[in-house]
Amino acid sequence: MRVSRKNKQSVGIDLSPMLDVIFQLILFFLVSTTFANLPGITVNLPESSTSQGTDISGINITVEEGGRLWFNDKEASLSSLDSLLQAVDVGKLTRETYPVTVSADEKVTNGTIVKIFDALRRNDFVSVSLRTNSK
């Protein structure tokens, strides 16, 4: 007489649903992450051994070696800087606390930087950071 044996079924865990959930979480975090938008303007920033990191949100003023001035991502001039600063909507912040970042090439003259600071002060922006490279 033949005795039939039952095949033992292996007990395993199906990982497909868990992998689907992990994939969805990765997609969620990739989409919801905010990235810093730096202007695509190339400047040779001066080096500093005492520089500290700051938030780069707010207004970005960039000055290239040749004297070209950029207000956020728009090309501007020193004469139009006052009108651009007056048009800035600071939202819930005040102009005194609204962050401004100045990125000037290391070959830009001190006089140009002083003119930018004067325009910022005339429009009540006092929270100004100078971008540098760390040594």
Side-chain angles (χ1 to χ4, degrees), residues 12-66:
I13 299 174
D14 186 18
L15 296 178
S16 298
M18 184 179 70
L19 291 175
D20 289 340
V21 170
I22 290 174
F23 181 69
Q24 293 294 327
L25 285 172
I26 290 172
L27 284 178
F28 171 77
F29 287 118
L30 282 175
V31 171
S32 65
T33 303
T34 58
F35 297 99
N37 291 327
L38 294 175
I41 305 161
T42 305
V43 291
N44 188 16
L45 296 173
E47 291 185 352
S48 172
S49 60
T50 60
S51 63
Q52 297 176 348
T54 60
D55 187 17
I56 53 174
S57 63
I59 300 171
N60 291 307
I61 299 173
T62 307
V63 186
E64 292 179 330
E65 179 181 355

Side-chain angles (χ1 to χ4, degrees), residues 48-99:
S48 172
S49 60
T50 60
S51 63
Q52 297 176 348
T54 60
D55 187 17
I56 53 174
S57 63
I59 300 171
N60 291 307
I61 299 173
T62 307
V63 186
E64 292 179 330
E65 179 181 355
R68 290 176 61 188
L69 182 86
W70 297 85
F71 185 84
N72 290 334
D73 57 347
K74 299 177 190 173
E75 191 168 359
S77 65
L78 283 171
S79 59
S80 67
L81 192 56
D82 278 314
S83 62
L84 290 170
L85 289 169
Q86 288 172 359
V88 171
D89 178 25
V90 294
K92 294 180 181 178
L93 298 175
T94 63
R95 286 185 176 264
E96 290 82 15
T97 59
Y98 197 75

